[in-house]
Amino acid sequence: MSTTTRRGLFLTFEGLDGSGKTTQMRLLAARLREAGETVIETVEPGGTSIGGAIRRILLDPANDHLSSTAEMLLYFAARAQNVDEILTPAIARGEIVISDRWTDSTRAYQGYGRNLGVDVVRDLDRIACRGRKPDITFLIDIDLETGLQRARHRNIETSATDESRMDEQSRAFYERVLEGYQALAAEEPHRVLRINGRGTIEEAAERVWAAYKEFRDRHV
Ligand code: TMP
């Protein structure tokens, strides 16, 4: 029997490129479905057909002259579409929505990484998401070196050229992104749950599940 909460639940996964968050998100979604929940998976940027078109602009290496402000607005444009088309209706139906990245990514990558600051990210979030915030954010923690290595390896293996614009960023950029995530976790420890992403996929998945259960037990 479904145990889907009537008010819906919005979960997000965050972390550096190569943190393993996408794998962890899929495993959590599968486990929740096994438990009888209705789960919608989405991704940022992307998730809708309009979001997918925006993703192609954002990650195209030919667009290396995209300005930082235009980049940030495009991320939020994709997100606003996601809110209207996927998130809000699913939450209204009492379902669980899990997103691979959300505004915390913009905060870490554009706010910190591109030095645009957190205030502008907060203001744009208010416009695009209209107060909709994740109930829980799983921040998959890995060290920078491991993340960069895994991301590079994945791109070589899949020749995922659409992801190469971000992967060409400098190391200093990713250090600022990491700093942004660390600041976020310190500021919002009740929402942002840090998950140790080291070890096997299964070990990390158990940590995600334990953190989820603990959250649910606190909110029954
Ligand atoms: P992904 O590989 O997790 O799908 O993310 C694609 C890239 O987009 C990744 O390098 C992070 C970046 N990104 C931002 O810079 N800002 C954002 O708001 C989002 C959602 C992603």
Side-chain angles (χ1 to χ4, degrees):
M1 199 179 77
S2 171
T3 52
T4 294
T5 165
R6 225 174 293 134
R7 73 170 193 87
L9 198 61
F10 178 31
L11 314 179
T12 61
F13 277 76
E14 292 285 348
L16 289 174
D17 300 61
S19 60
K21 64 178 171 45
T22 306
T23 306
Q24 291 305 328
M25 168 179 143
R26 288 186 186 140
L27 290 171
L28 178 64
R31 203 154 175 178
L32 287 168
R33 287 190 186 108
E34 269 169 33
E37 304 283 5
T38 302
V39 180
I40 309 275
E41 290 171 70
T42 186
V43 60
E44 285 284 306
T48 63
S49 59
I50 289 168
I54 294 173
R55 182 184 179 93
R56 284 190 288 283
I57 297 171
L58 282 163
L59 302 181
D60 185 347
N63 290 336
D64 60 357
H65 57 295
L66 184 66
S67 85
S68 296
T69 302
E71 179 192 48
M72 179 170 58
L73 290 169
L74 284 171
Y75 279 116
F76 273 113
R79 194 161 303 138
Q81 186 69 28
N82 205 341
V83 168
D84 288 342
E85 206 177 311
I86 296 176
L87 183 61
T88 302
I91 295 291
R93 292 192 300 266
E95 296 170 2
I96 297 180
V97 177
I98 315 186
S99 186
D100 188 347
R101 298 195 183 278
W102 198 253
T103 297
D104 296 324
S105 282
T106 319
R107 194 187 133 113
Y109 283 77
Q110 280 65 52
Y112 277 75
R114 301 241 190 265
N115 293 314
L116 293 176
V118 295
D119 290 349
V120 68
V121 174
R122 200 174 298 125
D123 290 347
L124 290 171
D125 181 78
R126 213 172 291 131
I127 296 167
C129 304
R130 281 144 285 148
R132 180 77 69 192
K133 279 196 98 175
D135 295 293
I136 321 176
T137 295
F138 299 97
L139 174 58
I140 310 295
D141 250 342
I142 44 147
D143 57 278
L144 192 55
E145 219 40 69
T146 313
L148 290 178
Q149 261 170 26
R150 282 196 206 159
R152 262 184 232 121
H153 187 71
R154 180 186 60 195
N155 279 4
I156 291 164
E157 266 197 342
T158 60
S159 40
T161 48
D162 71 322
E163 296 197 358
S164 50
R165 198 180 72 85
M166 290 307 291
D167 291 334
E168 279 163 12
Q169 304 297 331
S170 70
R171 194 192 163 83
F173 171 83
Y174 283 106
E175 276 167 4
R176 290 195 297 277
V177 172
L178 189 56
E179 190 196 327
Y181 274 135
Q182 285 165 349
L184 176 75
E187 274 170 41
E188 295 190 59
H190 294 294
R191 172 175 71 89
V192 181
L193 311 178
R194 286 180 90 149
I195 306 291
N196 176 357
R198 274 162 298 197
T200 64
I201 289 172
E202 292 74 21
E203 282 164 350
E206 280 311 312
R207 292 182 201 120
V208 169
W209 186 246
Y212 172 77
K213 296 266 288 183
E214 204 189 310
F215 170 87
R216 291 312 294 251
D217 291 346
R218 270 194 278 130
H219 290 83
V220 274

